Amino acid sequence: MKNITFMVLAAFIALAGGSCNSRNKDNDSSAKESSSDIKFESYTYDLISEFTGNDTIEAPGGKLVRFIGQGVLPEDIGDTDIKTLRETLMNIAGIHFIDDNAEPVMADSLRITDLAASDTDACGEVISTLTTTLVTPRAVVWENIKYIYPCLAAHGNTTTTYVNFCLTDGQIISLGDLFKPDYQKPLMEMIRTKLKDSGQELLVPLDQVSFPSQFGLTSKGIIFSYDPYQIAPYSEGTIQIELSAGEMSDILSQHGLYVLLGVK
């Protein structure tokens, strides 16, 4: 059965008057600071779903998939419209709400059962965890880690997704919001140098490694994330390269330094 727990957390935080988005980076980021409560709500679920068709694997629990999920969503951020942010986070977490209960979004061939997850042998498994990894007066960063194990597969696979949200202008942050023009080439060189120094086995030549699709702001700078198989074999796991603001100082815009470190 559905198992959903809501918890509201309030964080009193000073929201600076500047903007995180590069199109407004010339705004006066020294504007008077205001304060606002950031409220989060948590959710959990642990459900057994069943394939409704006949095309299932002959194995114990071969028709069943266990879905386990937990996470934290924004409920309120002052006067900021968070509809798009919530929709984005729910999409990457793969959830929707039915009568205030969180449920996983699943294929049409699956339906949720009334089986008790703790007492049921399901051959497949999907685990999704959505957490906040950073909260500053300028930004909140969410990280979603999803693990999928198909029934009788040699192993499961993990994907990591980030959403970086600017508290001062209510927009999701892109890389271009943080850097000077023409930052791509020097930033890519820094990432490749870190990969080379790590000694990790790669599936492609180092000079063919491209920008990762995922990045997250950290307390030091930015972390860039590659899922298994994107540039390296499964045995290397998720590859994450962190660059400090100091290492990127030559290509970060003044605005980017402000977003990352609060430097005006």
Side-chain angles (χ1 to χ4, degrees), residues 6-242:
F6 284 98
M7 178 176 61
V8 179
L9 309 173
F12 191 74
I13 191 165
L15 302 184
S19 167
C20 289
N21 196 291
S22 60
R23 65 175 177 268
N24 296 317
K25 65 183 178 182
D26 293 328
N27 287 359
D28 180 11
S29 60
S30 64
K32 183 179 180 180
E33 294 187 350
S34 59
S35 297
S36 178
D37 284 335
I38 304 177
K39 297 180 180 179
F40 301 94
E41 59 183 5
S42 68
Y43 64 86
T44 63
Y45 58 82
D46 190 355
L47 306 167
I48 299 294
S49 65
E50 180 181 31
F51 285 100
T52 57
N54 297 321
D55 188 19
T56 56
I57 296 175
E58 292 298 326
K63 291 191 66 174
L64 304 177
V65 180
R66 185 174 183 177
F67 284 85
I68 301 172
Q70 63 178 335
V72 178
L73 290 167
E75 184 180 60
D76 182 68
I77 303 178
D79 296 328
T80 302
D81 183 352
I82 60 172
K83 179 181 178 181
T84 298
L85 173 62
R86 280 182 63 93
E87 289 175 349
T88 300
L89 292 169
M90 289 169 62
N91 182 57
I92 68 169
I95 64 167
H96 58 180
F97 287 91
I98 306 295
D99 297 329
D100 290 334
N101 292 320
E103 291 185 357
V105 175
M106 58 185 66
D108 293 339
S109 59
L110 287 167
R111 68 172 182 86
I112 294 175
T113 72
D114 291 329
L115 297 171
S118 59
D119 299 326
T120 303
D121 183 16
C123 190
E125 187 174 57
V126 178
I127 303 174
S128 180
T129 301
L130 178 69
T131 59
T132 54
T133 59
L134 182 73
V135 179
T136 76
R138 298 162 304 283
V140 180
V141 179
W142 277 268
E143 177 190 64
N144 189 77
I145 298 177
K146 179 171 286 188
Y147 172 80
I148 299 177
Y149 174 75
C151 182
L152 297 186
H155 55 72
N157 199 26
T158 301
T159 58
T160 303
T161 310
Y162 290 95
V163 173
N164 305 274
F165 186 73
C166 178
L167 291 171
T168 58
D169 68 5
Q171 302 292 322
I172 293 174
I173 302 169
S174 69
L175 273 182
D177 296 331
L178 305 172
F179 292 94
K180 298 174 182 177
D182 303 321
Y183 70 91
Q184 292 92 341
K185 183 177 179 180
L187 181 58
M188 191 69 252
E189 290 176 353
M190 293 180 196
I191 293 173
R192 289 172 179 164
T193 297
K194 288 274 188 175
L195 282 171
K196 180 180 179 180
D197 292 344
S198 72
Q200 290 173 302
E201 180 184 355
L202 300 178
L203 293 171
V204 297
L206 188 64
D207 61 1
Q208 293 182 21
V209 172
S210 59
F211 266 114
S213 60
Q214 298 301 321
F215 75 95
L217 309 187
T218 72
S219 60
K220 296 180 180 179
I222 301 175
I223 196 166
F224 299 89
S225 183
Y226 294 92
D227 290 335
Y229 294 123
Q230 285 190 323
I231 63 170
Y234 179 82
S235 59
E236 295 291 335
T238 301
I239 295 178
Q240 295 190 319
I241 302 297
E242 184 170 16

